[in-house]
Amino acid sequence: MRPPNQTIVQEFVFVGFSRVRGTNLWLFAVVFSMYLITLAGNMLIITAIRIDPRLNTPMYFFLSNLSFLDICYTTSVVPQLLAHFLTSQKTISFDRCMAQLYISLFLGSTEFILLAAMAYDRYVAVCHPLHYKVIMSPRVCTQLAITSWFVGFLNAGVQTVFTLCVHFCSLNIINHFACEVLAVVKLSCSDTFANDLSLMVAGVIVLLIPCILVMLSYVYIIGAILRIRSSEGRHRAFSTCTSHLTVVTLCYGTAIFAYLSPKDNTAPNQDKMLAFFYAVVTPMLNPLIYSLRNKDVKGALSKVGKTWK
């Protein structure tokens, strides 16, 4: 039930990207194409991992989780964005806005923890190869995945509750294309100290600490790879990590710039572009990065193609 102090605002209005119809139609075509590529690419990755026994490993277990998460995350934003490209009334009800805010926070937070779990998997594979199967047992992999989803669930719940506690008065124009937590909190006409503090703490726990753990993992990984004597062995070890490192750089880099950088000089359009990149571009690039730079995935995808012929 909505708190009494927020009954004034029944809906929010998005500024979006443009008010020019021709520009919106062009953006609709581009974003719709990117959405189809995202769905197809991530579904192919999940299908390939399920049907190819060679991919029944911890690395691809986490990758299938990431692909499923990317499908859900981009679907929580893009269909609404596409609809708003075709109409002048870019509105969303208060309840739907809070639901979208929760879902995007839930999935985004989960992805940061999941990427850290994937980095730990690569660390064990490269630095402790003889104990890899023992350390990264199916039980441990499941626990890491469940922990990632639970932390995302918990963080989203906390941030959504704090957002529901602020007063919006009559301010309802969001300079964004979705109900992103920072854009929504900016509309508050009450004190947002608790919101800012909770977001900062969440940024440290969910974003900064996992990022530091990923960097530490790769320091050890690179050190172990450099100690490998054969060039072929070094190349094989690097090839198993470069895809994940590329995805990590895209995700953490964009999110840190958006959530942990000073906000005083940040332009609203810059925030929108960062959110667009994270919500639309990154989920599209992830399956392309993993399929183009990984021979096992390429082989599995070719097997899927032969199966469907």
Side-chain angles (χ1 to χ4, degrees), residues 204-220:
V204 172
I205 295 174
V206 176
L207 182 56
L208 195 58
I209 291 177
C211 183
I212 292 172
L213 292 176
V214 169
M215 289 190 293
L216 286 175
S217 296
Y218 274 99
V219 168
Y220 284 104

Side-chain angles (χ1 to χ4, degrees), residues 160-175:
T160 304
V161 168
F162 273 108
T163 305
L164 286 167
C165 290
V166 302
H167 298 257
F168 291 104
C169 302
S170 59
L171 303 173
N172 71 333
I173 299 177
I174 303 177
N175 192 2

